[in-house]
Amino acid sequence: MLGLMQKQALSVSSLIDFAETHHGDVEIVSRRIEGDIHRSTWAQIASRSRQVANALDQWKIGQGARVATLAWNGYRHLELYFGVSSSGRVIHTLNPRLHPDQIVWIANHAEDEVMCFDMTFLPIAKQIHARCTTVKHWVALCDADQLPADSGIPGLISYENWVSQQATSYVWPQLDENTASCMCYTSGTTGNPKAALYSHRSTVLHAYACALPDVMCLSARDTILPVVPMFHVSAWGIPYSAAMVGAKLVFPGAALDGKSIYELLETEKVTLAAGVPTVWQMLLGHLGANGLRFNHLKRTVIGGSACPPAMIHAFNDQYGVEVLHAWGMTELSPLGTLCTLKNKHLDLPEDEKMKIRLKQGRAIFGIDFKIVDDHGKEQAHDGKAYGDLLVKGPWVIQEYFKQEGPSPLVDGWFPTGDVATVDADGYMQITDRSKDVIKSGGEWISSIDVENIAMAHPDVLMAACIGMPHPKWDERPIVVVVAKPGKTLVREEVLKFYDGKIAKWQIPDDAVFVEAIPIGATGKMLKTKLREMLSAYQLPA
Ligand code: AMP
């Protein structure tokens, strides 16, 4: 027997409609790239998102077509989020920190039809436009009078020119809730970047989950500042959750330094901020150097990389801000676990509580996880046994966009490439990574790309890239090189060889020379052994 409830599809449009109807006067504040502060409201964002939909209709952009952004966190980006998805197109947030060649590859793979970019990224747009073969329209996210006359990009139009003359009314289409809404590529896998393709259903369910009290605990009384970029897994889904609860949003634009973020936190009375550890390091540095305090900030969500204990201590003990340590992945929309205490922990001594806070946290309802050994056997939840972390749930990918080869799932579970323990209370802790990638300041560096470039050098016999712990960036890559017999190589020459081939920040910090790189039985480089060999190694200052 079926239940007798209404079959209303979950949709992104319902989020923006709700925010407009019930929280229309709540502010959306953005620091623009020009440096000034722009003020909007949920009602204005909703109205302009309908103008975006009309503008896309005028260009005859079809259902399911990809509309790409190369943009900072700001109100225009938010309007695109809601206008593109609600009208049945897919918003594809591109990572402008990648090398232009990588951006071209991704845009072509995604078959983007419209490309909207912040003026900061005009140089990238100029470099790539001729090679983005599927893009029909280029939009600069600026006022009409800011549009450069000599961009060289055919048909370039300003966002305001494109959108602001459109009608503000639009009837959202009734979409199947499994319709694609948003797309994000990740370089956190081996091989070429791969895209997670989120649906309206997964986005709304993830938004509900984010807002739960034991997750980010979001409400209409919150002012939220996502430092985490909107091009990195939809700023952890915060724009959608904020619409769902009617929270005020504050967008930092391009100014991510400690001073600028602190100013916004204080002037806009931000209660919750979210970002990767590197950003908070800059903020804490600014506070410490200037003897400042937080007057409004209550909680900060820190994830993307392991949160260092000193950071949790500083926020908690020095500044009275609760740290919510989160773990997630692009493939998980991204939230998987978040660390909050249980009732039974509240009377524990502070150092015991801290041990728990350092873990990546408990599962959120909707996400199932397990840890398994090499044979797929589940490992005990005793906080000691470790294994590969596998997850499943309604906001976890089933496969990548244009999946090549077999499904990434193992018996219905998605292998995360992280290695973890789980304790008896269900707190998961990441202990290692089985995937061959390096995460620096919250962004991926493919060790394979770094190795392949070194291998293209005529004097290199073999190269291995490994991550080394770094106080600011969490990890930095180094390349370990074996020179061809009779050849001598110097560090500077190897590092120079990377110029122009990958993004500057992806170039290794050092080249180290060895006689041989340890190789395992299957012919693969044994990076664990290599790390042991280099245990005394220190990154250059
Ligand atoms: P991304 O898809 O770029 O969000 O990266 C996801 C990966 O980042 C995870 O699989 C982990 O390897 C790493 N990661 C994310 N959050 C954390 C965390 N809190 N602690 C340790 N590693 C993390």
Side-chain angles (χ1 to χ4, degrees):
M1 183 164 65
L2 291 176
L4 293 172
M5 308 308 284
Q6 298 182 8
K7 291 194 187 74
Q8 190 168 320
L10 301 176
S11 67
V12 169
S13 61
S14 65
L15 294 173
I16 191 65
D17 284 350
F18 178 84
E20 178 180 37
T21 308
H22 300 284
H23 304 281
D25 61 343
V26 172
E27 277 190 310
I28 309 295
V29 179
S30 311
R31 192 194 289 280
R32 293 206 276 202
I33 56 170
E34 295 81 14
D36 61 332
I37 298 293
H38 175 274
R39 292 185 178 276
S40 180
T41 60
W42 276 117
Q44 284 167 317
I45 297 289
S47 171
R48 282 172 49 102
S49 69
R50 291 190 291 269
Q51 290 181 304
V52 167
N54 280 315
L56 290 167
D57 281 3
Q58 196 180 34
W59 277 350
K60 299 197 169 21
I61 303 300
Q63 294 288 290
R66 269 73 72 202
V67 175
T69 57
L70 272 170
W72 299 110
N73 293 4
Y75 64 102
R76 290 180 179 128
H77 207 170
L78 190 67
E79 292 158 11
L80 285 163
Y81 259 47
F82 287 105
V84 170
S85 301
S86 302
S87 64
R89 286 91 179 191
V90 177
I91 180 135
H92 172 204
T93 52
L94 278 157
N95 184 345
R97 294 195 177 122
L98 297 177
H99 188 277
D101 291 349
Q102 292 171 307
I103 298 177
V104 169
W105 187 92
I106 291 173
N108 286 338
H109 189 264
E111 298 172 54
D112 294 331
E113 292 188 26
V114 180
M115 181 77 72
C116 306
F117 62 89
D118 266 333
M119 289 301 276
T120 320
F121 306 121
L122 177 64
I124 299 180
K126 281 182 176 177
Q127 251 181 298
I128 66 173
H129 74 89
R131 288 182 287 153
C132 293
T133 51
T134 57
V135 178
K136 299 173 192 152
H137 303 280
W138 292 79
V139 180
L141 296 169
C142 64
D143 294 334
D145 60 4
Q146 291 169 322
L147 197 69
D150 55 349
S151 73
I153 301 173
L156 180 65
I157 187 171
S158 81
Y159 179 82
E160 293 306 327
N161 211 357
W162 179 49
V163 156
S164 60
Q165 290 145 21
Q166 301 289 339
T168 55
S169 58
Y170 194 89
V171 181
W172 300 127
Q174 296 291 310
L175 302 170
D176 181 305
E177 64 180 12
N178 293 304
T179 305
S181 63
C182 179
M183 173 185 255
C184 187
Y185 278 72
T186 172
S187 305
T189 61
T190 40
N192 283 325
K194 296 179 178 60
L197 184 60
Y198 312 114
S199 66
H200 285 259
R201 174 184 155 81
S202 71
T203 302
V204 174
L205 290 175
H206 181 267
Y208 272 119
C210 251
L212 284 171
D214 266 354
V215 186
M216 292 192 198
C217 190
L218 305 181
S219 77
R221 292 165 299 289
D222 273 313
T223 296
I224 310 172
L225 188 151
V227 187
V228 51
M230 288 167 81
F231 59 75
H232 197 155
V233 213
S234 316
W236 298 346
I238 287 172
Y240 303 111
S241 298
M244 178 178 273
V245 301
K248 170 178 167 181
L249 277 173
V250 180
F251 289 128
L256 303 180
D257 59 287
K259 180 169 179 287
S260 307
I261 296 288
Y262 179 75
E263 263 172 29
L264 274 185
L265 292 174
E266 287 299 302
T267 53
E268 298 303 326
K269 300 190 168 72
V270 171
T271 55
L272 176 117
V276 296
T278 304
V279 162
W280 301 131
Q281 208 133 16
M282 294 195 280
L283 179 69
L284 290 175
H286 176 72
L287 260 78
N290 296 285
L292 302 168
R293 299 204 60 76
F294 295 115
N295 290 303
H296 309 282
L297 190 68
K298 295 193 178 76
R299 324 188 279 298
T300 153
V301 186
I302 304 184
S305 290
C307 183
M311 189 171 284
I312 302 188
H313 273 298
F315 270 115
N316 213 55
D317 311 345
Q318 261 174 281
Y319 298 110
V321 173
E322 185 186 7
V323 168
L324 301 167
H325 189 192
W327 168 86
M329 297 180 74
T330 307
E331 290 88 337
L332 274 73
S333 309
L335 267 187
T337 63
L338 197 126
C339 198
T340 51
L341 300 181
K342 290 183 174 179
N343 200 21
K344 66 178 179 183
H345 299 136
L346 296 181
D347 295 329
L348 287 176
E350 270 311 309
D351 58 332
E352 292 296 316
K353 284 186 193 164
M354 188 53 71
K355 280 187 199 150
I356 301 171
R357 289 201 177 102
L358 284 174
K359 301 191 175 194
Q360 274 72 12
R362 301 184 267 132
I364 301 163
F365 172 76
I367 292 286
D368 264 353
F369 65 63
K370 64 177 181 178
I371 45 170
V372 299
D373 68 10
D374 289 349
H375 308 288
K377 184 169 174 284
E378 267 198 60
Q379 300 298 289
H381 288 191
D382 58 7
K384 294 192 192 88
Y386 60 86
D388 287 318
L389 179 66
L390 273 60
V391 295
K392 67 174 173 183
W395 58 86
V396 179
I397 63 156
Q398 184 161 308
E399 56 184 76
Y400 292 100
F401 177 62
K402 294 187 180 170
Q403 173 76 42
E404 286 170 14
S407 157
L409 304 192
V410 179
D411 296 331
W413 293 79
F414 175 74
T416 63
D418 288 320
V419 177
T421 60
V422 180
D423 69 19
D425 288 321
Y427 287 81
M428 184 274 285
Q429 185 159 31
I430 304 278
T431 56
D432 203 354
R433 211 182 271 148
S434 57
K435 48 196 170 192
D436 204 3
V437 276
I438 291 154
K439 207 168 201 193
S440 179
E443 301 280 355
W444 289 115
I445 299 173
S446 157
S447 40
I448 293 171
D449 284 354
V450 173
E451 286 158 11
N452 285 345
I453 293 171
M455 292 294 287
H457 189 288
D459 296 345
V460 170
L461 180 70
M462 205 171 169
C465 173
I466 53 175
M468 285 288 168
H470 187 281
K472 177 169 178 190
W473 303 110
D474 189 32
E475 273 185 308
R476 287 297 303 155
I478 64 163
V479 61
V480 184
V481 173
V482 183
K484 281 190 180 157
K487 301 286 180 190
T488 17
L489 274 166
V490 290
R491 170 184 186 273
E492 288 67 28
E493 187 187 345
V494 173
L495 298 184
K496 182 123 196 32
F497 194 63
Y498 283 93
D499 275 357
K501 297 190 176 88
I502 43 173
K504 271 209 172 75
W505 59 271
Q506 294 175 326
I507 296 178
D509 277 14
D510 202 3
V512 175
F513 299 94
V514 293
E515 292 287 311
I517 289 170
I519 303 286
T522 56
K524 271 174 111 181
M525 293 189 280
L526 292 177
K527 295 210 177 162
T528 39
K529 273 259 166 62
L530 190 59
R531 279 195 203 98
E532 277 169 28
M533 271 169 61
L534 296 174
S535 57
Y537 171 85
Q538 298 250 311
L539 279 170

